[in-house]
Amino acid sequence: RLAAASFLGNQENIAIKTEVWNAHNSNYEPLDTRKDYPELTSRFDRDQIVRAIVNLLSNALAASTGVVGAEFVLIRTRLTDQPQRMIELAVIDQGQGIPEQVRNRLFEPYFSTKRTGTGLGLVIVQQIAHEHGGQIQVASNHPRGTIFTLSLSV
């Protein structure tokens, strides 16, 4: 919630939606931020995790800016038990997507698909994920856009 709150009212005018996995009915449900949800406590450095999410959201908003029909970025969270207990946090955009031939370079230092990018945002996200025993993955969001999934062991 903290990371998403920093982008409310963004100049791109793209909404940020959040959904949380509900294991009781095996479905994603909108997160009602007006309710008091318990914080998940673990060994995570909260500031670093927020930094990783902010980097992912910033990229998702940039990828969606100016794309007709790109109305929101979705943050989808779930807790899994298979094969081990993990938190999966996916940032899903509706941008143009990332060409397959570029995907394998996304986590290289100083590589960027943006004119103004430093090429360090995803490197930082990957480093934070690894420092917390997790990983970051990228996939296509069909019919368009990209999904970055941050997985952390609980």
Side-chain angles (χ1 to χ4, degrees):
R1 288 183 291 180
L2 181 62
S6 65
F7 289 98
L8 294 178
N10 61 75
Q11 63 187 32
E12 295 88 356
N13 203 27
I14 296 172
I16 306 231
K17 295 184 178 184
T18 53
E19 294 179 341
V20 177
W21 180 256
N22 183 334
H24 298 294
N25 64 10
S26 299
N27 199 6
Y28 286 99
E29 296 179 352
L31 174 64
D32 185 348
T33 56
R34 295 169 296 177
K35 293 181 182 176
D36 189 21
Y37 285 88
E39 292 290 325
L40 183 63
T41 57
S42 72
R43 66 185 193 289
F44 301 136
D45 180 330
R46 180 182 171 155
D47 292 337
Q48 290 299 312
I49 299 301
V50 167
R51 182 177 184 192
I53 298 167
V54 165
N55 277 338
L56 293 173
L57 283 172
S58 178
N59 286 348
L61 288 169
S64 300
T65 299
V67 176
V68 175
E71 299 172 359
F72 62 89
V73 169
L74 177 62
I75 303 169
R76 183 175 275 170
T77 308
R78 76 179 182 145
L79 190 59
T80 69
D81 286 324
Q82 309 285 327
Q84 63 181 10
R85 199 157 166 84
M86 303 281 290
I87 295 173
E88 289 182 349
L89 187 136
V91 176
I92 305 165
D93 70 55
Q94 300 173 327
Q96 293 299 326
I98 300 171
E100 190 71 37
Q101 63 271 22
V102 173
R103 262 192 228 148
N104 63 342
R105 298 194 62 206
L106 289 177
F107 300 101
E108 291 179 13
Y110 309 110
F111 176 79
S112 180
T113 59
K114 299 185 281 188
R115 280 186 257 180
T116 60
T118 63
L120 294 175
L122 290 175
V123 173
I124 290 168
V125 171
Q126 185 176 52
Q127 179 180 346
I128 291 169
H130 288 171
E131 287 174 356
H132 288 81
Q135 62 181 352
I136 181 78
Q137 296 176 314
V138 61
S140 289
N141 179 31
H142 297 288
R144 70 167 190 233
T146 306
I147 304 170
F148 280 91
T149 303
L150 178 62
S151 301
L152 303 169
S153 180
V154 177

